[in-house]
Amino acid sequence: MRPTPRTPSPRRYLMCPPTHFSVTYSINPWMDPTKPVDLPLALAQWEDLRDRYRSLGHTVELLDPHPALPDMVFAANGATVVDGRVLGAKFAYPERADEAAVHLAWFRGNGWAEEDLREPDHVNEGEGDFAVTSSWILAGRGFRSSPLSHDEAQEFFGRPVIGLELVDPRYYHLDTALCVLDDARDEVMYYPAAFSPGSRAVLARLFPDALLATEEDAAALGLNAVSDGRHVLFPQTAAGLFEPLRRRGFEPIGMDLSELLKGGGSVKCCTQELRP
Ligand code: ARG
Protein backbone atom coordinates (compact mmCIF):
# COMPACT_ATOMS: atom_id res chain seq x y z
CA MET A 1 0.00 0.00 0.00
CA ARG A 2 1.40 3.39 -0.98
CA PRO A 3 1.21 6.09 1.70
CA THR A 4 -1.24 8.98 1.25
CA PRO A 5 0.57 12.04 -0.16
CA ARG A 6 0.84 14.56 2.64
CA THR A 7 0.61 18.29 2.09
CA PRO A 8 1.57 20.63 4.91
CA SER A 9 -0.49 23.76 5.43
CA PRO A 10 0.97 26.92 6.92
CA ARG A 11 0.00 27.45 10.54
CA ARG A 12 0.04 30.30 13.01
CA TYR A 13 1.22 29.41 16.49
CA LEU A 14 1.35 31.24 19.80
CA MET A 15 4.29 30.40 22.07
CA CYS A 16 5.80 31.76 25.27
CA PRO A 17 9.53 31.52 26.03
CA PRO A 18 10.42 29.58 29.22
CA THR A 19 12.26 32.61 30.65
CA HIS A 20 10.80 31.98 34.11
CA PHE A 21 10.20 28.25 33.79
CA SER A 22 10.71 26.24 36.98
CA VAL A 23 9.11 23.39 38.86
CA THR A 24 8.22 24.87 42.24
CA TYR A 25 4.88 23.09 42.74
CA SER A 26 3.46 19.79 41.58
CA ILE A 27 0.10 19.59 39.84
CA ASN A 28 0.80 16.53 37.69
CA PRO A 29 2.83 13.34 38.29
CA TRP A 30 5.68 14.53 36.05
CA MET A 31 6.48 17.51 38.27
CA ASP A 32 9.02 16.91 41.03
CA PRO A 33 10.04 20.20 42.68
CA THR A 34 13.17 18.54 44.14
CA LYS A 35 14.57 17.92 40.64
CA PRO A 36 16.58 20.88 39.35
CA VAL A 37 15.74 22.45 36.00
CA ASP A 38 18.51 23.58 33.66
CA LEU A 39 17.03 26.90 32.56
CA PRO A 40 19.51 27.80 29.80
CA LEU A 41 18.99 24.33 28.34
CA ALA A 42 15.20 24.70 28.57
CA LEU A 43 15.47 27.98 26.67
CA ALA A 44 17.74 26.52 24.00
CA GLN A 45 15.41 23.54 23.50
CA TRP A 46 12.39 25.81 23.25
CA GLU A 47 14.18 28.09 20.76
CA ASP A 48 14.92 25.03 18.66
CA LEU A 49 11.22 24.25 18.51
CA ARG A 50 10.30 27.84 17.65
CA ASP A 51 12.98 28.00 14.93
CA ARG A 52 11.87 24.65 13.54
CA TYR A 53 8.31 25.91 13.10
CA ARG A 54 9.60 29.02 11.34
CA SER A 55 11.87 27.04 9.04
CA LEU A 56 8.85 24.92 8.08
CA GLY A 57 7.11 28.11 6.99
CA HIS A 58 4.84 28.61 10.00
CA THR A 59 4.23 31.88 11.82
CA VAL A 60 5.12 32.01 15.49
CA GLU A 61 3.63 34.75 17.64
CA LEU A 62 5.10 35.38 21.07
CA LEU A 63 3.53 35.92 24.43
CA ASP A 64 5.50 37.80 27.11
CA PRO A 65 6.54 35.50 29.95
CA HIS A 66 5.67 36.44 33.51
CA PRO A 67 8.01 35.89 36.50
CA ALA A 68 5.20 34.68 38.79
CA LEU A 69 3.86 32.17 36.23
CA PRO A 70 6.48 29.41 35.72
CA ASP A 71 4.16 27.22 33.61
CA MET A 72 3.43 29.91 31.03
CA VAL A 73 5.73 28.19 28.55
CA PHE A 74 2.86 25.69 28.15
CA ALA A 75 1.01 28.16 25.96
CA ALA A 76 -1.40 25.55 24.60
CA ASN A 77 -3.36 25.76 27.83
CA GLY A 78 -4.18 29.47 27.65
CA ALA A 79 -7.00 29.45 25.09
CA THR A 80 -8.57 27.59 22.19
CA VAL A 81 -8.89 29.30 18.83
CA VAL A 82 -11.19 27.89 16.16
CA ASP A 83 -12.58 29.74 13.13
CA GLY A 84 -10.85 32.87 14.40
CA ARG A 85 -12.84 32.81 17.64
CA VAL A 86 -11.20 32.55 21.03
CA LEU A 87 -12.47 30.59 23.99
CA GLY A 88 -10.38 31.73 26.95
CA ALA A 89 -9.11 29.30 29.56
CA LYS A 90 -10.05 28.87 33.19
CA PHE A 91 -7.39 26.86 35.01
CA ALA A 92 -8.12 24.05 37.44
CA TYR A 93 -5.30 24.98 39.85
CA PRO A 94 -4.74 28.40 41.45
CA GLU A 95 -1.02 28.26 40.57
CA ARG A 96 -1.87 28.80 36.91
CA ALA A 97 -5.09 30.83 37.21
CA ASP A 98 -3.54 34.17 36.24
CA GLU A 99 -2.29 32.86 32.89
CA ALA A 100 -5.82 33.07 31.48
CA ALA A 101 -5.97 36.87 31.64
CA VAL A 102 -2.52 37.22 30.06
CA HIS A 103 -3.73 35.21 27.07
CA LEU A 104 -6.98 37.16 26.69
CA ALA A 105 -5.03 40.42 26.87
CA TRP A 106 -2.77 39.17 24.09
CA PHE A 107 -5.77 38.49 21.83
CA ARG A 108 -7.30 41.88 22.63
CA GLY A 109 -4.01 43.57 21.81
CA ASN A 110 -3.50 41.66 18.58
CA GLY A 111 -6.56 42.45 16.56
CA TRP A 112 -9.24 40.12 17.88
CA ALA A 113 -12.67 41.74 18.20
CA GLU A 114 -14.49 41.59 21.51
CA GLU A 115 -17.37 39.62 19.97
CA ASP A 116 -14.95 36.86 19.00
CA LEU A 117 -13.60 36.42 22.54
CA ARG A 118 -15.25 34.51 25.34
CA GLU A 119 -14.23 34.48 28.99
CA PRO A 120 -15.33 30.99 29.98
CA ASP A 121 -17.80 30.06 32.70
CA HIS A 122 -16.36 26.60 33.22
CA VAL A 123 -12.91 25.21 33.86
CA ASN A 124 -11.08 24.40 30.62
CA GLU A 125 -7.35 24.28 30.02
CA GLY A 126 -7.41 25.35 26.39
CA GLU A 127 -5.81 23.11 23.85
CA GLY A 128 -4.52 20.93 26.64
CA ASP A 129 -7.99 19.39 26.53
CA PHE A 130 -9.43 20.51 23.18
CA ALA A 131 -8.22 19.00 19.90
CA VAL A 132 -9.68 20.10 16.59
CA THR A 133 -10.37 18.09 13.43
CA SER A 134 -12.53 19.15 10.52
CA SER A 135 -15.53 17.19 11.79
CA TRP A 136 -15.23 17.50 15.57
CA ILE A 137 -13.70 19.13 18.57
CA LEU A 138 -12.38 16.35 20.81
CA ALA A 139 -12.51 17.32 24.46
CA GLY A 140 -10.75 15.73 27.42
CA ARG A 141 -12.07 15.59 30.97
CA GLY A 142 -11.34 13.69 34.13
CA PHE A 143 -8.38 15.65 35.50
CA ARG A 144 -8.55 19.30 34.45
CA SER A 145 -11.29 20.54 32.12
CA SER A 146 -14.86 20.30 33.36
CA PRO A 147 -17.38 18.34 31.27
CA LEU A 148 -19.47 21.53 31.37
CA SER A 149 -16.75 23.26 29.36
CA HIS A 150 -17.47 20.82 26.53
CA ASP A 151 -21.01 22.16 26.19
CA GLU A 152 -19.70 25.67 26.48
CA ALA A 153 -17.22 25.06 23.63
CA GLN A 154 -19.88 23.45 21.45
CA GLU A 155 -22.23 26.38 21.88
CA PHE A 156 -19.49 28.97 21.35
CA PHE A 157 -17.80 27.39 18.33
CA GLY A 158 -20.90 25.78 16.81
CA ARG A 159 -18.98 22.58 16.19
CA PRO A 160 -19.80 19.14 17.57
CA VAL A 161 -17.79 18.41 20.69
CA ILE A 162 -16.94 14.83 21.60
CA GLY A 163 -16.21 14.36 25.31
CA LEU A 164 -13.47 11.86 26.19
CA GLU A 165 -12.74 10.62 29.70
CA LEU A 166 -9.08 10.44 30.74
CA VAL A 167 -8.29 7.87 33.43
CA ASP A 168 -4.51 7.78 33.94
CA PRO A 169 -3.01 10.70 35.92
CA ARG A 170 0.14 10.68 33.78
CA TYR A 171 -2.08 11.64 30.85
CA TYR A 172 -3.94 14.41 32.61
CA HIS A 173 -4.59 16.50 29.48
CA LEU A 174 -6.04 15.21 26.22
CA ASP A 175 -2.93 16.43 24.38
CA THR A 176 -0.76 14.01 26.36
CA ALA A 177 -2.76 11.05 25.02
CA LEU A 178 -4.01 12.07 21.57
CA CYS A 179 -2.67 14.07 18.65
CA VAL A 180 -4.43 15.22 15.48
CA LEU A 181 -2.18 14.19 12.58
CA ASP A 182 -4.29 15.43 9.71
CA ASP A 183 -7.08 17.78 10.73
CA ALA A 184 -8.61 17.90 7.24
CA ARG A 185 -8.89 14.10 7.11
CA ASP A 186 -9.90 13.50 10.74
CA GLU A 187 -6.75 11.45 11.30
CA VAL A 188 -5.34 11.02 14.79
CA MET A 189 -2.93 8.99 16.88
CA TYR A 190 -3.66 8.12 20.49
CA TYR A 191 -2.85 5.90 23.44
CA PRO A 192 -5.96 3.82 24.19
CA ALA A 193 -5.14 2.96 27.84
CA ALA A 194 -5.29 6.66 28.76
CA PHE A 195 -9.07 6.61 28.16
CA SER A 196 -12.06 5.04 29.87
CA PRO A 197 -13.53 1.97 28.12
CA GLY A 198 -16.46 3.99 26.80
CA SER A 199 -14.23 6.72 25.42
CA ARG A 200 -11.96 4.12 23.87
CA ALA A 201 -14.98 2.68 22.06
CA VAL A 202 -15.95 6.18 20.86
CA LEU A 203 -12.42 6.74 19.54
CA ALA A 204 -12.41 3.37 17.78
CA ARG A 205 -15.71 4.23 16.12
CA LEU A 206 -14.72 7.72 14.99
CA PHE A 207 -11.14 6.86 14.05
CA PRO A 208 -10.99 3.20 12.96
CA ASP A 209 -7.68 3.83 11.14
CA ALA A 210 -5.96 5.74 13.93
CA LEU A 211 -2.32 5.17 14.72
CA LEU A 212 -2.29 3.55 18.15
CA ALA A 213 0.71 4.42 20.30
CA THR A 214 2.45 1.94 22.55
CA GLU A 215 2.75 2.41 26.29
CA GLU A 216 6.45 3.17 25.82
CA ASP A 217 5.92 5.96 23.30
CA ALA A 218 3.04 7.41 25.30
CA ALA A 219 5.21 7.41 28.44
CA ALA A 220 7.83 9.44 26.55
CA LEU A 221 5.00 11.95 25.94
CA GLY A 222 5.21 11.08 22.24
CA LEU A 223 1.58 12.01 21.71
CA ASN A 224 2.27 15.56 22.81
CA ALA A 225 2.92 16.29 19.17
CA VAL A 226 2.15 18.95 16.57
CA SER A 227 1.36 18.21 12.93
CA ASP A 228 0.96 20.60 10.01
CA GLY A 229 -0.53 17.83 7.89
CA ARG A 230 2.88 16.53 6.83
CA HIS A 231 5.56 17.26 9.43
CA VAL A 232 4.93 15.76 12.84
CA LEU A 233 7.04 17.21 15.65
CA PHE A 234 7.22 15.18 18.85
CA PRO A 235 9.66 14.26 21.64
CA GLN A 236 12.46 12.28 20.02
CA THR A 237 12.56 9.66 22.78
CA ALA A 238 9.22 8.33 21.52
CA ALA A 239 11.33 6.34 19.08
CA GLY A 240 8.58 3.89 18.15
CA LEU A 241 6.56 6.59 16.40
CA PHE A 242 9.01 7.31 13.58
CA GLU A 243 8.31 4.20 11.51
CA PRO A 244 4.51 4.13 11.67
CA LEU A 245 4.35 7.85 10.90
CA ARG A 246 6.66 7.42 7.90
CA ARG A 247 4.60 4.50 6.66
CA ARG A 248 1.56 6.81 6.60
CA GLY A 249 3.46 9.37 4.55
CA PHE A 250 4.24 11.80 7.36
CA GLU A 251 7.64 13.30 8.02
CA PRO A 252 8.44 12.65 11.68
CA ILE A 253 10.68 15.22 13.38
CA GLY A 254 12.07 14.31 16.80
CA MET A 255 12.63 17.22 19.18
CA ASP A 256 14.52 17.37 22.46
CA LEU A 257 12.47 19.14 25.13
CA SER A 258 13.80 17.14 28.07
CA GLU A 259 13.83 20.12 30.45
CA LEU A 260 10.21 21.02 29.80
CA LEU A 261 9.24 17.39 30.35
CA LYS A 262 10.04 18.07 34.01
CA GLY A 263 6.96 20.29 34.02
CA GLY A 264 4.87 17.57 32.40
CA GLY A 265 4.83 19.03 28.91
CA SER A 266 6.45 18.80 25.53
CA VAL A 267 5.98 19.96 21.94
CA LYS A 268 2.20 20.40 21.85
CA CYS A 269 1.99 21.93 25.34
CA CYS A 270 4.31 24.71 24.16
CA THR A 271 2.23 25.41 21.08
CA GLN A 272 -1.18 27.01 20.79
CA GLU A 273 -2.60 27.02 17.29
CA LEU A 274 -4.37 30.16 16.11
CA ARG A 275 -6.88 28.77 13.63
CA PRO A 276 -8.23 31.31 11.11
N1 ARG B 1 2.86 21.94 34.46
C1 ARG B 1 1.78 22.15 33.55
C2 ARG B 1 0.48 21.69 34.19
O1 ARG B 1 0.48 20.70 34.85
C3 ARG B 1 2.02 21.41 32.28
C4 ARG B 1 1.01 21.70 31.24
C5 ARG B 1 1.23 20.93 30.01
N2 ARG B 1 0.44 21.39 28.95
C6 ARG B 1 -0.32 20.63 28.15
N3 ARG B 1 -0.88 21.19 27.15
N4 ARG B 1 -0.50 19.36 28.39
O2 ARG B 1 -0.53 22.32 34.05
Side-chain angles (χ1 to χ4, degrees):
M1 199 180 81
R2 249 190 305 155
T4 326
R6 302 290 181 175
T7 324
S9 58
R11 310 283 167 140
R12 189 175 175 203
Y13 297 129
L14 179 63
M15 298 180 75
C16 178
T19 316
H20 308 290
F21 175 61
S22 66
V23 180
T24 51
Y25 50 82
S26 179
I27 54 173
N28 70 55
W30 303 81
M31 299 174 85
D32 176 356
T34 65
K35 257 201 223 153
V37 167
D38 182 335
L39 193 55
L41 182 57
L43 256 165
Q45 293 175 336
W46 177 90
E47 283 167 0
D48 247 20
L49 179 64
R50 179 203 57 198
D51 294 348
R52 185 60 78 113
Y53 286 139
R54 287 182 172 155
S55 72
L56 291 170
H58 304 308
T59 304
V60 178
E61 309 283 359
L62 295 175
L63 200 57
D64 282 334
H66 193 290
L69 299 169
D71 267 337
M72 259 192 77
V73 60
F74 301 119
N77 302 130
T80 305
V81 184
V82 182
D83 300 322
R85 310 191 72 215
V86 182
L87 177 62
K90 185 168 177 161
F91 285 83
Y93 292 103
E95 288 89 341
R96 299 195 65 188
D98 292 342
E99 294 180 37
V102 181
H103 278 259
L104 278 178
W106 185 88
F107 287 101
R108 290 196 168 101
N110 283 273
W112 267 264
E114 209 50 45
E115 70 257 28
D116 290 328
L117 301 179
R118 180 179 171 90
E119 293 192 32
D121 292 333
H122 302 290
V123 169
N124 88 72
E125 295 203 345
E127 286 200 308
D129 278 321
F130 289 124
V132 183
T133 75
S134 68
S135 302
W136 304 288
I137 294 177
L138 307 175
R141 59 169 184 244
F143 295 101
R144 301 288 180 91
S145 300
S146 155
L148 295 171
S149 75
H150 300 178
D151 296 342
E152 188 174 7
Q154 175 162 292
E155 198 54 39
F156 179 65
F157 292 123
R159 288 184 178 223
V161 171
I162 309 284
L164 299 167
E165 183 82 12
L166 296 161
V167 295
D168 181 334
R170 283 177 304 167
Y171 309 109
Y172 57 94
H173 274 144
L174 180 66
D175 72 359
T176 62
L178 180 146
C179 161
V180 177
L181 291 172
D182 186 332
D183 41 13
R185 289 194 177 96
D186 289 329
E187 189 173 350
V188 303
M189 60 176 174
Y190 66 95
Y191 175 53
F195 298 91
S196 69
S199 295
R200 239 179 279 166
V202 168
L203 285 167
R205 186 174 279 269
L206 294 182
F207 307 105
D209 301 322
L211 195 172
L212 301 183
T214 63
E215 143 98 270
E216 214 184 343
D217 292 325
L221 230 48
L223 294 162
N224 199 245
V226 169
S227 174
D228 63 12
R230 177 182 177 93
H231 310 97
V232 184
L233 286 70
F234 60 97
Q236 62 187 11
T237 47
L241 288 177
F242 285 89
E243 228 357 81
L245 284 170
R246 260 187 217 116
R247 242 182 285 128
R248 284 168 184 251
F250 293 104
E251 226 178 277
I253 300 177
M255 302 300 302
D256 184 3
L257 289 171
S258 59
E259 288 312 296
L260 296 174
L261 195 61
K262 295 174 180 169
S266 191
V267 175
K268 173 59 204 175
C269 298
C270 294
T271 314
Q272 187 189 131
E273 185 166 347
L274 308 173
R275 297 177 188 80

